[in-house]
Amino acid sequence: MKQTEPDFWVLEYVTITKDPRTDLVVAIGGTEKAADILQRTGGFLPAPGPRGDYHRLPHGLPVEQQRRKATAASHALLAAGHSVHIDPTLNMLVAPDGEREAALRCLAGLAERAAAATTSSEVAEVLTEIAAPVHGLLPLAREVVVRAWIAASDFQGAVPAGEPDPIARLGSTATSMSEAARAILHARNHAARPAQRPATTSPPPSQAQPAESRRR
């Protein structure tokens, strides 16, 4: 029996997000009922767009007002039965430390995976999460250190003569983190190799018996 796709309209889904070019909070999609909720509850304004009408908050609103109005509109839409996606940075009901707690849970989970690993390939998977060149935790942490070093270099005053410059050491620390990531990846590559069985040595061939013992 041929299965068919469910019948739904994608535009009935409402997405509330922040346009990175204009910093305007926009709402895309939704029915006329959703538009009414956006306008009454969140103070959104209808606006024409190249691909159809959408809604946006007024220009010049402070960030906290943007978040408050977007949050109120999204939850009013959900209560009315609409499907909504709201940018987490606009949702005031998200715990402020939610991202930090998620990062801590991620690290704790990796530590548990490493401790419970039963094969070298499982260890390699954990090391990949730590030191992958783009999205690895260590390269991302290095990026934070580099940005902090650049920012602190602009703000710091002169260091007394004869004393080491602690801000300058951040640069060398970032280099050390890069070297550590490379070392971890090297270990990852070694752990990912399939285990090689030790070569079995065949027993030496038995020596032929002397002719006299064979005649006996």
Side-chain angles (χ1 to χ4, degrees):
M1 180 176 177
K2 183 178 180 180
Q3 294 182 344
T4 59
E5 295 295 330
D7 184 15
F8 62 89
W9 293 95
V10 175
L11 291 180
E12 293 182 359
Y13 293 79
V14 183
T15 298
I16 301 176
T17 187
K18 196 166 188 176
D19 179 39
R21 298 172 300 172
T22 62
D23 284 337
L24 281 175
V25 176
V26 299
I28 303 170
T31 61
E32 291 184 0
K33 182 180 177 181
D36 179 70
I37 294 174
L38 286 166
Q39 295 173 26
R40 288 189 300 102
T41 308
F44 282 77
L45 304 174
R51 298 185 179 179
D53 294 345
Y54 66 98
H55 284 77
R56 64 167 177 78
L57 288 179
H59 291 274
L61 286 181
V63 173
E64 287 306 308
Q65 286 192 32
Q66 289 181 338
R67 297 183 67 207
R68 185 162 56 249
K69 289 177 177 295
T71 300
S74 68
H75 286 272
L77 287 166
L78 288 170
H82 295 275
S83 298
V84 183
H85 168 76
I86 180 173
D87 188 329
T89 61
L90 294 172
N91 193 350
M92 297 190 72
L93 299 183
V94 175
D97 294 331
E99 294 182 358
R100 176 180 175 83
E101 292 175 359
L104 294 177
R105 287 196 300 271
C106 176
L107 290 172
L110 288 175
E112 292 176 359
R113 286 173 57 186
T118 56
T119 63
S120 60
S121 61
E122 292 178 352
V123 175
E125 292 175 359
V126 174
L127 296 179
T128 301
E129 295 287 342
I130 295 295
V134 178
H135 298 298
L137 298 177
L138 186 54
L140 291 175
R142 175 192 173 277
E143 182 66 19
V144 175
V145 173
V146 170
R147 290 174 182 260
W149 168 50
I150 295 172
S153 299
D154 296 334
F155 302 143
Q156 72 162 347
V159 178
E163 294 186 9
D165 187 348
I167 300 301
R169 295 186 62 184
L170 281 177
S172 60
T173 300
T175 302
S176 299
M177 295 174 73
S178 296
E179 295 174 352
R182 285 193 291 270
I184 292 174
L185 286 178
H186 183 72
R188 185 279 310 270
N189 294 339
H190 181 76
R193 296 173 184 169
Q196 296 182 352
R197 297 179 180 178
T200 57
T201 57
S202 56
S206 57
Q207 295 180 353
Q209 295 182 350
E212 294 181 1
S213 63
R214 287 201 302 268
R215 287 194 294 268
R216 295 175 188 175

